[in-house]
Amino acid sequence: MPAYNSIFNPDSSPPTSTNIGNFPLLPLRTRVRGPAYTLPLDTSLPAHLSPEPDSESYDALDEVLSLFRANTFFRNFEIQGPADRLLIYGILWVSECLAKIKPAMSGREAQKEVQNIALDTNFSIPGDPGFPLNQMFNPPTSRQEAETLRQYLSQVRQELAIRLLARIYEDGSDRPSKWWLSFAKRKFMGKSL
């Protein structure tokens, strides 16, 4: 059985999407500032739920969170389009966030820990020597593209951290969901950011 691929693959290739290297800059439903086009927010939806996939508010980050648990079991992933690269990066980022959350952490402590790593701007992007997936990603062609990609990835990291914390602490308790933390030690494709 193959891993689940992104439903955004048809929309993530030029000319319908801007790509830097072969990484797509897809629209996001977010309040975090950055270069991504902003999709409309669905205010009737609780923070821990995603819109339906056919909704105009459904974005690639909703897909990352919905496919995370299923895809973490796979060591191989066949890239079928640019949106799959965002899916891979998102899954690896969620794994890194889960590794920071401990079972005894309150929601406030977890938010502080995860937001600290999400706000850190000193992370590797495709083309940097420390980036673990350089064989799958093309580097940016200019310094300006590299800065735009760094800003986009920072926006993705911050928004995914917000949504992940909303799901882990969705029941209102001050303890994280054991169903999410059980995936903290798993490494998608044997890699980590």
Side-chain angles (χ1 to χ4, degrees):
M1 182 175 150
Y4 296 101
N5 292 87
S6 178
I7 62 171
F8 294 99
N9 277 330
D11 300 330
S12 65
S13 299
T16 57
S17 171
T18 303
N19 287 4
I20 294 180
N22 53 5
F23 196 92
L25 302 184
L26 295 175
L28 303 175
R29 188 184 75 249
T30 182
R31 288 191 177 110
V32 177
R33 288 176 23 138
Y37 174 77
T38 305
L39 293 174
L41 296 170
D42 186 358
T43 55
S44 65
L45 208 60
H48 66 276
L49 294 178
S50 294
E52 293 296 318
D54 56 354
S55 166
E56 69 175 359
S57 293
Y58 189 78
D59 67 2
L61 303 185
D62 291 319
E63 184 179 51
V64 166
L65 290 171
S66 65
L67 296 179
F68 170 76
R69 293 189 271 188
N71 277 352
T72 52
F73 290 108
F74 293 99
R75 297 203 40 82
N76 299 318
F77 188 86
E78 180 185 347
I79 296 175
Q80 296 178 351
D84 283 339
R85 289 179 177 84
L86 179 58
L87 181 65
I88 290 169
Y89 187 86
I91 288 173
L92 293 175
W93 171 245
V94 169
S95 295
E96 187 172 327
C97 290
L98 286 175
K100 296 288 183 188
I101 300 172
K102 306 295 179 228
M105 276 187 165
S106 68
R108 197 85 183 120
E109 293 168 333
Q111 180 182 16
K112 183 178 176 184
E113 188 72 32
V114 171
Q115 288 296 342
N116 279 341
I117 59 171
L119 291 172
D120 183 18
T121 57
N122 189 20
F123 59 89
S124 298
I125 62 170
D128 288 351
F131 191 70
L133 302 167
N134 273 331
Q135 69 275 15
M136 293 182 219
F137 291 81
N138 294 338
T141 56
S142 69
R143 186 178 294 275
Q144 183 181 5
E145 277 192 355
E147 187 55 36
T148 303
L149 182 58
R150 185 176 301 281
Q151 290 172 355
Y152 181 77
L153 289 177
S154 180
Q155 188 178 15
V156 164
R157 290 162 70 107
Q158 291 174 43
E159 184 61 31
L160 263 176
I162 292 166
R163 293 187 198 179
L164 178 66
L165 288 169
R167 288 179 183 222
I168 292 175
Y169 291 93
E170 73 173 275
D171 59 359
S173 75
D174 216 22
R175 294 287 165 235
S177 165
K178 65 181 179 181
W179 306 114
W180 276 95
L181 290 188
S182 64
F183 289 88
K185 289 188 169 71
R186 289 201 137 308
K187 289 193 183 224
F188 177 57
M189 297 171 36
K191 307 257 187 217
S192 64
L193 288 180

